[in-house]
Amino acid sequence: MKPLGTGVLIMMRMPFSLHAQRLLLTASIALLLISPARPQTTSYEFNDSHFHLTNNIQEGPDIHDFLKMMGTRTGRVALFGLPLQQQWSYRDDGDRAPKYYLHSDAPLYYYSFTDAYIAMAYKSLAKEQQARVDPMITGFNPTDMYAADHIRRVLNTFPGVFSGIGEFTIHKEFVSSKISGEVASLEDPALDRLLDFAGEVGLVVLIHNDIDIPFSDVLMKEGTEPAYLAPMKAVFKRHPSTTFIWAHMGLGRVVRPNKNHARDIEAILRDPDFRHVNFDISWDETAKYIVATPEATKTMADLMQRYPDRFLFGTDSAAPPDESKYTKVFYQYDPLWKSLDADTSRKVRLQNFERIFDEARRKVRGWESAHVTHGYSN
């Protein structure tokens, strides 16, 4: 859905006063608020709460080709790039160009152009194609007090495009220590500032933060609470007006679920102070734990059926070359889908996405109508 038509752009180039231009833009954005909601369907198999169009060197499929991968299986997708660019250091890697963050000892750095790239890709789609895509802002440094200002500038430049922020990372195995500059922290005022702004605007927040340190099941004493569980809960409590999706339920490649993981997640789900917190089960690394044994699958299925409105499926696919690679994680979860009752399965695969992102679109468009002073249109 284009935020501004060609006619509006032409009129804004006419010698109107700044006040008149702002009124015209506000009226244009307001049209989005009364436009029909994105089409909901019963024929799709899943919506995707977590998809990277690009990889760590900003390569990926053309967005039109990706829509073909979505086909008739995927209804809607939360779409973003990767905010961390892998540096190609000739001193470290020579002619062996790294394409992934584990392929080099060279650092990662924040790549803010990803947001403009995603916005322009979205705007290249036809209106009916745009209805299936919820772009996310992710090219900011969460240790920077100006991160919230970056998000504001993106919304001001591309009104009518974005629905949320993320996926962005605070603590992540093998990644956090590779990022140039300060180490991100859950207690950083810069993080609080950007989360306050996200709550004000209505942006969904998709945050990656490992629940524990790597190999904690080996290194930690029995009964020790996961290292980042309490700090994450503190973040959630400080921002009750912000809608969160905790990516991967805090798990990772070597951040394994301890025997109390389901209990710790359920403590958040049943606490009314955390009603604004949701969990995605994206990533094949997460799926491997959930479907590892029938017992593990049953534990997760039972938890979802007790709290069916709080989980979302996502692929966490990054720059997939074809449909089979894109849908791999969905089929990896076959044991889980078979373990869920029909209503819970439909909520996790489809309806929770629609509810959360429809509400985000309504709020963000409303904020833009009141605050955006200019915008880009093609």
Side-chain angles (χ1 to χ4, degrees), residues 43 53 136-137 147 162 188 200 224 231 258 291 301 345 356 360 368:
S43 62
L53 186 65
M136 307 278 277
I137 300 168
F162 290 97
D188 194 327
E200 173 192 333
T224 302
N258 64 34
V291 301
S345 175
I356 290 170
E368 289 171 344

Side-chain angles (χ1 to χ4, degrees), residues 30-265:
L31 290 175
L32 296 172
L33 300 178
I34 60 175
S35 298
R38 293 184 174 193
Q40 311 298 301
T41 178
T42 59
S43 62
Y44 293 117
E45 294 186 53
F46 66 89
N47 294 319
D48 188 350
S49 67
H50 193 132
F51 174 73
H52 302 272
L53 186 65
T54 57
N55 60 17
N56 282 120
I57 58 169
Q58 311 307 319
E59 293 179 346
D62 180 272
I63 194 169
H64 298 85
D65 293 332
F66 172 63
L67 263 289
K68 294 177 182 176
M69 293 182 207
M70 291 173 66
T72 59
R73 183 171 286 108
T74 311
R76 289 168 58 180
V77 60
L79 181 142
F80 35 94
L82 270 169
L84 294 170
Q85 166 81 29
Q86 173 61 57
Q87 178 182 333
W88 181 3
S89 168
Y90 197 84
R91 291 186 306 160
D92 184 62
D93 300 303
D95 293 324
R96 181 179 53 82
K99 294 180 181 289
Y100 187 52
Y101 68 86
L102 293 178
H103 291 172
S104 173
D105 290 333
L108 298 160
Y109 60 90
Y110 291 101
Y111 187 80
S112 291
F113 184 71
T114 185
D115 294 327
Y117 180 83
I118 292 298
M120 297 305 295
Y122 170 84
K123 289 167 71 64
S124 74
L125 297 173
K127 182 177 179 180
E128 62 273 13
Q129 294 172 318
Q130 290 180 351
R132 301 175 66 184
V133 180
D134 286 273
M136 307 278 277
I137 300 168
T138 191
F140 54 86
N141 181 345
T143 72
D144 186 354
M145 290 291 287
Y146 282 123
D149 300 272
H150 169 84
I151 296 166
R152 183 187 295 270
R153 281 191 295 272
V154 172
L155 294 173
N156 200 58
T157 305
F158 298 104
V161 173
F162 290 97
S163 299
I165 64 173
E167 179 199 22
F168 70 96
T169 295
I170 304 300
H171 295 289
K172 182 178 180 181
E173 53 189 12
F174 311 129
V175 170
S176 300
S177 61
K178 286 195 63 176
I179 302 173
S180 298
E182 296 181 25
V183 176
S185 168
L186 293 169
E187 299 176 353
D188 194 327
L191 176 63
D192 287 321
R193 188 168 187 261
L194 73 88
L195 293 177
D196 280 339
F197 183 65
E200 173 192 333
V201 177
L203 294 157
V204 175
V205 173
L206 176 59
I207 182 171
H208 181 126
N209 193 89
D210 294 343
I211 197 169
D212 211 343
I213 62 172
F215 305 109
S216 61
D217 55 328
V218 176
L219 300 173
M220 305 299 287
K221 293 181 180 179
E222 180 72 19
T224 302
E225 183 175 271
Y228 300 119
L229 176 60
M232 274 295 279
K233 291 165 73 172
V235 168
F236 297 149
K237 283 203 172 184
R238 291 199 301 271
H239 302 279
S241 299
T242 303
T243 298
F244 288 94
I245 302 173
W246 191 352
H248 327 304
M249 297 192 301
L251 301 176
R253 182 175 280 103
V254 295
V255 176
R256 307 180 180 101
N258 64 34
K259 68 177 184 179
N260 296 320
H261 183 256
R263 182 202 66 184
D264 292 337
I265 298 300

Side-chain angles (χ1 to χ4, degrees), residues 18-37:
L18 179 61
H19 177 68
Q21 289 189 30
R22 181 170 182 175
L23 287 176
L24 183 61
L25 181 69
T26 299
S28 300
I29 296 175
L31 290 175
L32 296 172
L33 300 178
I34 60 175
S35 298

Side-chain angles (χ1 to χ4, degrees), residues 315-378:
T315 64
D316 198 18
S317 181
D322 54 50
E323 182 180 353
S324 65
K325 291 287 175 54
Y326 171 58
T327 58
K328 170 191 169 185
V329 177
F330 178 72
Y331 292 112
Q332 190 176 353
Y333 272 122
D334 271 346
L336 177 65
W337 307 137
K338 292 173 181 176
S339 299
L340 295 174
D341 64 62
D343 183 59
T344 301
S345 175
R346 183 159 188 77
K347 286 183 175 182
V348 175
R349 291 182 294 108
L350 291 159
Q351 292 176 340
N352 292 340
F353 181 107
E354 293 164 358
R355 172 176 49 82
I356 290 170
F357 282 91
D358 282 351
E359 180 68 2
R361 282 176 55 80
R362 183 188 66 79
K363 288 181 176 179
V364 177
R365 299 297 85 80
W367 182 91
E368 289 171 344
S369 71
H371 294 88
V372 171
T373 58
H374 65 277
Y376 174 86
S377 178
N378 55 2

